[in-house]
Amino acid sequence: MLRLPRPMLSRFERFSLYNSPYPAHDSGCAIDLYVAADDPVARSPVAGVVRETRTVRAPDKPYAHDDEYLILVDVDADATGLDWLGDPDDDPRDGLVARILHVDPGVDAGDEVAVGDSLGRLVRSGFFAPWVSNHVHVGFRAADANHHRARGSLPVSPDVTVSPLDWDGTGTVVETAETFVVLDAPTRADAAVAPDGFVGLASDEGVVLDGGLAHYGFGGALSPVEDGQSLSLLGERVGRAAGRDVPWADFDVLVDGVQITGLSLFASRVDFGSKLVCPGHGFATGDEVSVEIRPSADPIRLD
């Protein structure tokens, strides 16, 4: 497993390993690095030399950019700060290649990049659900791997502590969009965390959860969890850990008794609030709401 350094992650506002329905994120084998809403620039999370840029096919969505792009970078692991947590004989860092998506390239093959350099402009392709914020997608492949297919990246582990935020399911709507709302709870003030520390929504057991709960079928843990541990949220069981993966149980997420699509979970080093995925909602800023989880025989699944 590759360990991703704090200096890489701290250049971005939020990150997620599991909040995606696409196979590239299976078992935390890719990371999405989210930028500020008003920042169109895609900053490189790695140092190295651009190997290739290409246009690739993306799902056709009416709200999305026509094209998706792939940038391959031959990674300088030392300059990037990557560590290897596995058997030294299996260390892939010599010849490591980064796969970067959702960036209209402003670089060409042969260009050198440092961590934080501009790679181009962010794009919202058909791989984005309409409630997903702008981000850079990054996966890593060994030198002898296929660098173009969706599956095959190495598992990654963020080298940061994500502090757990407890939540009772209540909050006030502070942001609305067509497909989601954000609540004012829980907040960073609910955790003893440094100003630039990462926080995330915790299970009832104190394990930080990541992913689309439960519209993407499975999520994961961003803090230590015992293999096989049962996890609950708001008093209801939501899954059982398989390593750090958490296949979601069958349940519905409801707001004031009405079913919604789900919760969007991630780690954040900026202001935090629960993000409710609810296309076609009728909520307004200032509404006080209550979220609950209820076992279901027919949960929403989008993957």
Side-chain angles (χ1 to χ4, degrees):
M1 184 178 294
L2 285 168
R3 184 164 61 189
L4 309 182
R6 168 175 279 278
M8 171 200 292
L9 303 173
S10 63
R11 293 177 179 273
F12 299 88
E13 291 194 343
R14 293 178 286 133
F15 71 81
S16 172
L17 302 183
Y18 290 93
N19 199 351
S20 170
Y22 294 105
H25 284 270
D26 288 356
S27 297
C29 287
I31 188 168
D32 289 338
L33 300 166
Y34 293 83
V35 304
D38 59 352
D39 186 0
V41 179
R43 307 289 178 184
S44 180
V46 299
V49 177
V50 177
R51 168 186 285 228
E52 178 186 350
T53 65
R54 63 164 57 184
T55 302
V56 298
R57 181 178 300 176
D60 184 18
K61 301 287 180 63
Y63 55 81
H65 192 274
D66 289 339
D67 294 318
E68 178 60 278
Y69 306 94
L70 172 66
I71 301 175
L72 299 180
V73 178
D74 291 318
V75 177
D76 183 331
D78 289 337
T80 302
L82 296 175
D83 288 328
W84 174 245
L85 302 179
D87 188 323
D89 291 338
D90 297 328
D91 190 339
R93 288 177 294 174
D94 185 13
L96 190 70
V97 175
R99 300 179 74 254
I100 299 172
L101 292 168
H102 313 327
V103 181
D104 186 354
V107 292
D108 297 304
D111 288 350
E112 293 188 16
V113 294
V115 175
D117 283 354
S118 173
L119 293 173
R121 296 181 66 84
L122 292 161
V123 295
R124 294 180 59 81
S125 75
F127 287 114
F128 281 63
W131 54 82
V132 174
S133 301
N134 287 349
H135 63 269
V136 176
H137 167 101
V138 190
F140 296 91
R141 303 281 170 94
D144 59 354
N146 184 317
H147 301 136
H148 297 110
R149 65 190 298 264
R151 288 184 171 90
S153 291
L154 298 160
V156 295
S157 175
D159 189 20
V160 295
T161 297
V162 183
S163 297
L165 295 175
D166 295 330
W167 185 40
D168 65 1
T170 63
T172 301
V173 175
V174 293
E175 179 184 348
T176 65
E178 290 184 2
T179 59
F180 69 89
V181 302
V182 178
L183 306 184
D184 65 349
T187 70
R188 295 180 61 85
D190 297 327
V193 60
D196 62 345
F198 284 91
V199 297
L201 185 66
S203 72
D204 296 342
E205 298 77 20
V207 175
V208 178
L209 300 175
D210 181 22
L213 187 145
H215 46 286
Y216 286 155
F218 74 94
L222 294 179
S223 60
V225 62
E226 294 183 9
D227 187 31
Q229 181 178 357
S230 181
L231 299 171
S232 59
L233 181 66
L234 303 179
E236 292 290 344
R237 180 177 174 273
V238 294
R240 184 178 300 277
R244 63 175 182 169
D245 298 346
V246 183
W248 301 130
D250 292 340
F251 57 86
D252 294 333
V253 179
L254 300 97
V255 179
D256 295 340
V258 178
Q259 184 182 18
I260 65 169
T261 300
L263 297 174
S264 182
L265 307 178
F266 45 82
S268 175
R269 66 174 186 85
V270 295
D271 290 344
F272 193 91
S274 294
K275 184 174 182 178
L276 315 183
V277 180
C278 44
H281 67 84
F283 300 113
T285 300
D287 287 350
E288 296 182 359
V289 301
S290 179
V291 178
E292 64 177 310
I293 291 173
R294 186 180 300 167
S296 172
D298 187 25
I300 292 175
R301 291 287 192 265
L302 302 181
D303 50 3

